[in-house]
Structure formats: structure tokens, C-alpha cells
């Protein structure tokens, strides 16, 4: 839960503030309400925490943060977290 | 990739270790607290204490939100789970945390509808998909996580969701630091400041630590090199006889934090008069409650609970560990009655918990950074 996971924005819907990001090899929907003060465009990197983009970051820092997750042995947990977000998808949520 | 090369480099770490050795006064001791559980994890994972002179003591602070939650709050949450038809949702970290009648997972085994979520928005989605059932989200975390809960509540209101309730256990980092500094039996010389909390609150709110208490604080990144560099920055301040807030993590952390996240916090939450922390007791203004304007989503107001709550077991020394008064391995239950398989306290469950970190990395020696 305390993870901060870097993801790259692939598209963003400014009506719902939901963005599709590439994160750890997968595509997930995340919420960008907390970055309304920033201009977010395709290709930007953000740090994701519990389904929310928390800050816009540089590509260098995104890479560094990935390595921190790897070094601390948190990559699997980060993957499980991002794969577990269900709010951007339709249909039954997982239990 | 400048940083990548730099931070991979174990030689940089050794150079910093030498610099630190040169900055310490052998005639005194240094008690430096890292507040964030992520730092604690990194310190144990890389055996960083072994790179430091003996008179520097790294004290592990109360920065793991699951760890500082008193058992009574878990009991209240689990009592809600026992209500007919209620769906209890929480982050995975909470699932094995013991309440006095067992963990959420054990409640689930007894038939409660307990579901793990990865985002508060997932809990809201469950509520929207199950309109006939109350859905409670067990909200926990520092200022890093609280804005996500705030936005979720705002979204629930906008969508007119009537069956979504938040059990708010969000806490604030600075009142806890102040409480530690005010303890008579506690000496802390400086702080390694939390990186991710600061992405929300920024660096300014730490000023009281330097100005009112005369202690340096350096907000730090999470790599071994970052932590070593932060310690060197702290020692340089102490050597110069100054105390200020510094940002070692400026490559990722803007000094002003995230104003939109703070606005969401202000809109949805107010601070409680006081809140109980495991080991630290009641700390004034140290937690958020949901504002009256959003009371319809407040589980404490909307879901009556008549469960009984119990204090933490007395043999467990979680409180002493959280205050930094003892090291995890010095708890009388560490490694015997309390292990990751049979946790007595939350500090043994959460990956950010000091006891879990010490248990897992007991044999880590330096050099593992290469
Ligand atoms: S070893 Fe167990 S009981 Fe002792 S402080 Fe750690 S979590 Fe608490």
C-alpha cells in the first residue's frame, strides 16, 4: 500500500480524469484528480499510489523508482497492486 | 541515465560512509530517526547501520500506518464486518493484522464478507455494483494515501452513492514527530524525513522541527545512497551547529508538495482533537475525521458498532519499538511467539514494519548493494 509505482500516460480522458498508463508491462486505468493543476499529456510519467497519479516525474526518476522497487523486492507486490485496480474496467469486480 | 549509474555505485556509498565517519564527533552519540517505513525497510535490506560509526544509532520511527493503528481500531472495523450483509474492504496490508479476535482473514474464514482492494476507488466500485448492501472501506495511511480517500468520497458524493462508508483511520506525520520530541524519556537528535508523504505536504511543514526544537531534518529518497547522503547532510548541519529543513530528494520532490492533494484533504477532512497511536498514546490533532458535509459516508457515524475493544497484549512491546525505545529484536516475543507466520503485532505483518524487516534481513551484511 505504501508503494509508489511509475507509469507512463498513454491516453487521458479529461472528462473523467481517468488515464490509461503503461505500468510494469501492463496497461491500467488510473485516476488523475490529484494532478488537476498539472498539464498532463501523452508520454508523461507519473508516480502512482493506490490507483491515483500523485506526481508528475521525469523519465530518469521513473527509471530510478523502478529500480528502487526492484532493489527492495517490491516489484511483484507493485505488479499485483496495479493489476488489481478494477475501478477503470467494466463488469464484475474481483473479490 | 545519470542517477541510475550514480546510485548503483557501491563506491559512492563507501565514499559517503567515509565522509560520515569524518563528520562524527567520537565523544558523543547520535540518535537519528527515520520516520518512514520505506526507509526502515531499505536500512535493514542493505544493512546500512553496519556502514555507520558505532555512535550513530538509527532509530526506527512510527512511519508504518498499519503498525501504529491500535488493536482497538481493528476491533471496531471487524465489528462492522460482522454486521449483516456488510462488505468490508481494505488494502492487502491489513488482511493479516491481528485484532483481539483475529485478523480480517480469520473473520473471512468465519463467514464475514471481507474483500481486499488495491484502491479506495475499487471499494467505491464494489458499492456501486452492490447497491443493496452497505460497503465499508477501512481507510488507513498518512498524508500520502489520505488524498485518495478524500477524492473517492468526493466522487461518491458526486455520483450519489448511498451505501458507501469510510472508516477513517488516516493519520498525520508531524503531530507524531512533535509528540516524540516532547517525550521526556526520549532523545532524538535529527530526522530523516519521509519522501512520499512530502510529495503531498511538501517540506515547509517540517520547519517546526528545526526552528522550535533545533533538530535537523533531511527529507530523503529511498536508495541506500540517498539515505547515506541524508545522514551526511544531517551530520554536516550538526557539525556547523545549525538546524534546518533540507531536501535531499529534490530530483523527485518539489518543495511545495501537491497543492491539489492538500485541497482535497481540506475539503473532506478535519483533524480530530486527538487520536490513539500504538505505543505513543493519544496525540492531539494527529488524525483526520470526515467533515460534517460528508457525514453520510462516515462509517463511524452511519454504522453503529457495539463490539468490545481490547488493548494491545501486554507482553508485546510494539509500543516500545515504535517509539524507538528498543530495537525489534529486543522485544521479548521477537522470533519466538511473534514471527511473520504467527504475528502478535502489526509490525511483524506489514512489509514496512520494523519487526518484519529485522526478521527478514537478519543476516544481511554490507556489500549487498553491488
Ligand atoms: S516482535 Fe511482535 S510483539 Fe514484539 S514488537 Fe515486534 S510485532 Fe510487536
Amino acid at each position: 500500500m505504501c508503494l509508489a509505482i511509475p507509469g507512463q500516460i498513454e491516453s487521458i480522458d479529461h472528462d473523467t480524469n481517468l488515464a490509461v498508463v503503461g505500468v510494469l508491462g501492463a496497461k491500467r486505468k488510473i485516476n488523475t484528480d490529484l494532478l488537476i493543476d498539472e498539464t498532463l499529456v501523452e508520454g508523461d510519467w507519473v508516480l502512482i499510489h493506490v490507483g491515483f497519479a500523485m506526481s508528475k516525474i521525469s523519465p530518469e526518476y521513473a527509471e530510478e523508482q523502478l529500480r528502487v522497487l526492484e532493489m527492495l523486492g517490491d516489484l511483484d507486490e507493485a505488479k499485483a497492486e496495479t493489476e488489481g485496480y478494477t475501478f477503470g474496467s467494466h463488469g464484475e469486480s474481483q473479490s | 541515465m545519470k542517477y541510475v549509474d550514480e546510485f548503483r555505485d557501491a563506491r559512492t556509498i563507501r565514499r559517503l560512509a567515509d565522509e560520515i565517519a569524518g563528520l562524527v564527533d567520537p565523544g558523543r552519540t547520535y540518535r537519528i530517526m527515520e520516520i518512514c517505513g520505506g526507509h526502515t525497510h531499505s536500512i535493514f535490506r542493505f544493512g546500512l547501520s553496519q556502514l555507520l560509526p558505532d555512535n550513530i544509532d538509527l532509530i526506527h520511527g512510527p512511519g508504518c500506518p498499519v503498525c501504529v493503528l491500535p488493536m482497538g481500531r481493528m476491533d471496531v472495523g471487524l465489528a462492522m464486518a460482522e454486521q449483516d450483509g456488510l462488505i468490508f474492504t481494505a488494502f492487502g496490508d491489513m488482511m493479516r493484522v491481528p485484532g483481539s479476535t483475529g485478523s480480517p482473514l480469520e473473520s473471512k474464514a468465519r463467514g464475514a464478507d471481507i474483500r481486499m482492494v488495491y484502491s479506495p476507488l475499487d471499494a467505491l466500485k464494489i458499492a456501486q455494483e452492490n447497491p443493496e448492501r452497505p460497503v465499508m472501506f477501512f481507510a488507513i495511511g498518512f498524508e500520502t494515501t489520505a488524498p485518495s480517500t478524500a477524492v473517492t468520497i468526493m466522487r461518491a458524493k458526486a455520483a450519489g452513492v448511498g451505501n458507501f462508508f469510510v472508516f477513517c483511520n488516516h493519520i498525520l506525520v508531524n503531530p507524531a514527530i512533535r509528540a516524540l520530541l516532547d517525550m521526556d524519556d526520549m532523545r532524538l537528535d535529527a530526522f530523516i524525513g519521509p519522501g512520499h508523504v512530502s510529495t503531498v505536504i511538501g517540506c515547509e511543514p517540517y520547519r517546526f522541527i528545526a526552528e522550535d526544537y533545533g533538530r535537523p531534518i533531511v527529507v530523503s529518497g529511498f536508495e541506500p545512497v540517498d539515505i547515506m547522503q541524508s545522514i551526511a547532510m544531517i551530520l554536516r548541519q550538526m557539525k556547523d551547529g545549525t538546524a534546518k529543513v533540507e531536501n535531499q530528494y529534490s530530483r523527485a520532490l518539489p518543495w511545495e508538495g501537491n497543492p491539489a492533494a492538500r485541497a482535497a484533504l481540506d475539503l473532506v477532512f478535519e483533524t480530530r482533537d486527538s487520536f490513539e497511536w500504538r505505543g505513543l498514546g493519544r496525540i492531539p490533532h494527529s488524525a483526520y475525521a470526515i467533515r460534517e458535509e460528508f457525514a453520510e459516508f462516515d462509517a463511524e457515524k452511519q454504522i453503529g458498532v457495539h463490539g468490545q475493544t481490547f488493548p494491545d497484549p501486554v507482553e508485546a512491546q510494539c509500543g516500545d519499538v515504535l517509539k524507538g525505545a528498543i530495537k525489534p529484536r529486543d522485544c521479548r516475543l521477537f522470533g519466538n511467539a511473534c514471527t511473520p507466520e504467527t504475528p502478535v503485532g502489526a509490525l511483524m505483518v506489514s512489509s514496512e514494519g520494523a519487526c518484519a524487516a529485522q526478521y527478514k534481513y537478519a543476516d544481511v551484511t554490507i556489500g549487498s548493494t553491488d
Side-chain angles (χ1 to χ4, degrees):
Chain A
M1 164 200 126
C2 290
L3 297 174
I5 309 163
Q8 189 173 26
I9 293 187
E10 297 193 357
S11 65
I12 181 160
D13 177 340
H14 291 285
D15 293 328
T16 58
N17 280 353
L18 292 181
V20 176
V21 294
V23 53
L24 301 170
K27 272 195 216 308
R28 304 306 306 173
K29 272 209 186 126
I30 60 160
N31 176 297
T32 64
D33 283 348
L34 296 173
L35 291 184
I36 42 166
D37 296 345
E38 304 262 356
T39 33
L40 285 181
V41 295
E42 236 170 80
D44 279 346
W45 285 88
V46 292
L47 216 47
I48 304 161
H49 176 67
V50 299
F52 288 77
M54 295 297 296
S55 50
K56 195 163 135 177
I57 55 174
S58 67
E60 292 77 22
Y61 179 63
E63 187 153 330
E64 181 195 319
Q65 180 60 17
L66 272 180
R67 216 187 48 262
V68 170
L69 291 173
E70 190 186 344
M71 284 193 322
L72 291 176
D74 286 341
L75 265 188
D76 288 345
E77 207 185 313
K79 244 195 155 90
E81 170 167 333
T82 52
E83 282 168 5
Y85 300 153
T86 59
F87 58 87
S89 64
H90 295 287
E92 277 298 288
S93 65
Q94 300 157 1
S95 59
Chain B
M1 301 291 105
K2 175 165 154 279
Y3 293 123
V4 176
D5 298 332
E6 217 167 87
F7 289 161
R8 280 217 120 122
D9 194 350
R11 268 180 317 202
T12 313
I13 294 195
R14 302 227 164 79
R15 182 180 57 67
L16 281 164
D18 289 345
E19 186 186 341
I20 288 169
L23 282 166
V24 297
D25 167 359
R28 60 160 294 174
T29 56
Y30 297 82
R31 289 172 55 84
I32 302 176
M33 174 173 274
E34 88 277 358
I35 300 150
C36 170
H39 288 144
T40 304
H41 190 165
S42 202
I43 286 164
F44 279 112
R45 167 72 183 82
F46 297 104
L48 295 186
S49 303
Q50 299 164 59
L51 291 165
L52 301 174
D54 286 344
N55 56 340
I56 297 185
D57 199 2
L58 293 181
I59 315 283
H60 317 302
C64 155
V66 179
C67 303
V68 297
L69 187 78
M71 198 177 265
R73 292 295 283 185
M74 188 48 123
D75 290 341
V76 172
L78 286 173
M80 291 181 195
E82 263 142 44
Q83 306 240 326
D84 236 8
L86 185 131
I87 302 175
F88 171 113
T89 64
F91 293 135
D93 312 43
M94 302 291 296
M95 289 297 158
R96 296 179 57 240
V97 173
S100 54
T101 55
S103 65
L105 270 189
E106 290 164 288
S107 278
K108 184 177 173 138
R110 289 195 296 266
D113 192 346
I114 305 244
R115 305 189 191 183
M116 179 170 121
V117 291
Y118 291 97
S119 169
L121 288 173
D122 291 337
L124 176 58
K125 188 179 183 212
I126 292 174
Q128 287 171 305
E129 288 171 351
N130 295 276
E132 72 296 343
R133 296 177 63 186
V135 173
M136 183 271 270
F137 173 62
F138 198 125
I140 184 165
F142 281 98
E143 290 98 324
T144 331
T145 316
S148 311
T149 303
V151 166
T152 303
I153 292 174
M154 287 156 67
R155 286 199 163 231
K157 188 158 183 124
V161 181
N163 61 325
F164 178 65
F165 307 100
V166 172
F167 181 36
C168 185
N169 291 281
H170 285 299
I171 46 176
L172 290 86
V173 70
N174 278 318
I177 297 178
R178 190 184 288 277
L180 285 164
L181 284 166
D182 284 339
M183 277 178 196
D184 291 335
D185 52 349
M186 193 66 197
R187 198 195 96 215
L188 295 170
D189 298 311
F191 294 89
I192 298 172
H196 292 144
V197 165
S198 310
T199 58
V200 172
I201 68 174
C203 296
E204 209 50 43
Y206 302 120
R207 211 176 265 282
F208 77 96
I209 299 170
E211 289 176 1
D212 301 349
Y213 291 89
R215 309 295 207 287
I217 172 164
V218 176
V219 180
S220 176
F222 295 88
E223 299 219 23
V225 169
D226 290 328
I227 296 172
M228 292 295 281
Q229 194 177 26
S230 299
I231 294 170
M233 288 165 79
I234 285 170
L235 291 172
R236 246 177 267 139
Q237 285 195 40
M238 291 180 74
K239 191 167 184 170
D240 296 346
T242 57
K244 54 190 175 188
V245 185
E246 287 186 286
N247 182 7
Q248 182 275 338
Y249 204 30
S250 56
R251 65 187 188 281
L253 172 67
W255 183 270
E256 63 282 359
N258 180 336
R262 288 199 300 275
L265 290 176
D266 283 345
L267 186 75
V268 176
F269 298 129
E270 59 193 2
T271 54
R272 294 173 193 264
D273 290 340
S274 77
F275 193 73
E276 171 90 20
W277 293 52
R278 175 178 284 134
L280 305 180
R282 292 200 81 84
I283 303 177
H285 308 297
S286 64
Y288 286 123
I290 297 169
R291 279 187 193 280
E292 200 48 48
E293 294 88 309
F294 295 91
E296 60 198 284
F297 303 104
D298 189 343
E300 282 174 273
K301 290 184 179 142
Q302 307 301 341
I303 305 175
V305 218
H306 309 288
Q308 219 183 335
T309 70
F310 296 91
D312 285 24
V314 283
E315 332 75 78
Q317 290 179 277
C318 309
D320 292 333
V321 173
L322 283 168
K323 281 195 294 204
I326 64 168
K327 300 284 179 197
R329 62 171 175 272
D330 299 325
C331 168
R332 47 182 104 84
L333 303 186
F334 182 86
N336 45 67
C338 186
T339 67
E341 287 71 44
T342 56
V344 175
L347 291 74
M348 198 48 108
V349 182
S350 164
S351 58
E352 315 272 304
C355 297
Q358 180 143 71
Y359 192 88
K360 184 163 173 200
Y361 300 120
D363 301 323
V364 170
T365 49
I366 50 168
S368 50
T369 49
D370 303 70

